[in-house]
Amino acid sequence: MYNMQAVVRKSVNNATMQFDKLGYIANNLANYNTAAYKTTRFEQILREDGYVDGAIRTNALKGSIRISKNPYDIAIDGEGYIPVVSADGEVQYTRDGSFKRGEGGYLMTVDDWMVGDGIKIPANSYKIEVKPNGDVINYDDAGSLPEKIGTIPIVQFECPEALEQGHNNKMVYNDESGAPKIIKNTDNVRQYATEVSNTNIYDEINDLMRLNTSMIASMNLMKVADDMYNKAINIRE
């Protein structure tokens, strides 16, 4: 049998978890148009004692591939992530291949993280070709011989669903996801293409509506408990 304090504690706990889940749903909807964004799920788990816990999981499924006119745009048509390095040397992982020729001629993300170990595109480059295995080929002019200037590395994780959100649409690994491992002999790198978000807007809106109903019920339960407290105080007086 639950006493009044236990009812209130459980109601507050449940309401807090619902607000946390609301934040993740809102973030998914806000990133619906973000290239290669991976939907984050906040799964509610009911414990034996009646309290609710939350588990965060990343939907690692591939989004659709969209054709681009930018030769620096890259999509991974399959599993894997691209390691990128910040100016401070921090390494994170992304599937957002909206790259550019950045400072010093290096291939970079839109927010200036270097791709891989550093792929420098010559200033006089006539054309860049990216092979399915990630090799980056440069042509100085229309008749020049191809020159390999680097390779876009592709890594995989044992449990990509456990990856955590990092900086600006990047991911960081942990013990549960496992450390990154280079995919050898890959053939799923696509040039002139980007991956779209895998967020299903209809699923998110449906979850939002269900969550709204649940939150209203929790608030009503807390109001009932508050009314009962007030009546008990008045009886004592």
Side-chain angles (χ1 to χ4, degrees), residues 91 93 155-158 173 177-182:
V91 180
Y93 304 88
V155 301
Q156 63 182 356
F157 300 89
E158 185 176 346
Y173 73 91
S177 68
K181 297 180 180 179
I182 289 286

Side-chain angles (χ1 to χ4, degrees), residues 5-19:
Q5 290 84 357
V7 171
V8 172
R9 284 197 301 270
K10 287 181 173 61
S11 298
V12 171
N13 169 255
N14 294 348
T16 301
M17 292 296 105
Q18 289 166 346
F19 275 110

Side-chain angles (χ1 to χ4, degrees), residues 40-191:
T40 303
R41 292 290 182 194
F42 185 83
E43 303 293 345
Q44 293 178 324
I45 303 171
L46 181 63
R47 299 189 331 213
E48 292 182 0
D49 59 4
Y51 285 91
V52 176
D53 272 342
I56 302 172
R57 285 292 180 268
T58 299
N59 180 356
L61 293 177
K62 178 178 72 71
S64 301
I65 302 298
R66 179 169 54 196
I67 302 302
S68 164
K69 294 182 179 180
N70 183 359
Y72 301 129
D73 280 347
I74 301 299
I76 304 175
D77 193 6
E79 297 182 356
Y81 289 80
I82 300 171
V84 292
V85 185
S86 72
D88 297 329
E90 181 180 5
V91 180
Q92 295 188 10
Y93 304 88
T94 187
R95 288 180 63 91
D96 182 0
S98 303
F99 297 148
K100 66 179 182 180
R101 185 178 182 274
E103 184 177 356
Y106 287 96
L107 189 65
M108 292 184 171
T109 64
V110 292
D111 55 349
D112 297 322
W113 286 52
M114 185 177 296
V115 176
D117 295 329
I119 301 172
K120 189 170 184 179
I121 302 169
N124 63 340
S125 175
Y126 170 76
K127 185 178 75 170
I128 290 294
E129 181 182 3
V130 181
K131 300 290 187 179
N133 66 352
D135 286 349
V136 181
I137 309 299
N138 175 67
Y139 296 86
D140 288 335
D141 54 56
S144 67
L145 294 175
E147 176 191 7
K148 178 181 174 181
I149 57 176
T151 300
I152 298 175
I154 307 296
V155 301
Q156 63 182 356
F157 300 89
E158 185 176 346
C159 182
E161 291 80 10
L163 291 170
E164 299 175 359
Q165 291 286 342
H167 176 79
N168 195 17
N169 200 25
K170 301 176 185 66
M171 310 299 288
V172 294
Y173 73 91
N174 51 43
D175 292 339
E176 189 176 355
S177 68
K181 297 180 180 179
I182 289 286
I183 300 178
K184 298 180 180 180
N185 302 319
T186 184
D187 64 350
N188 60 2
V189 178
R190 304 287 179 262
Q191 188 181 16

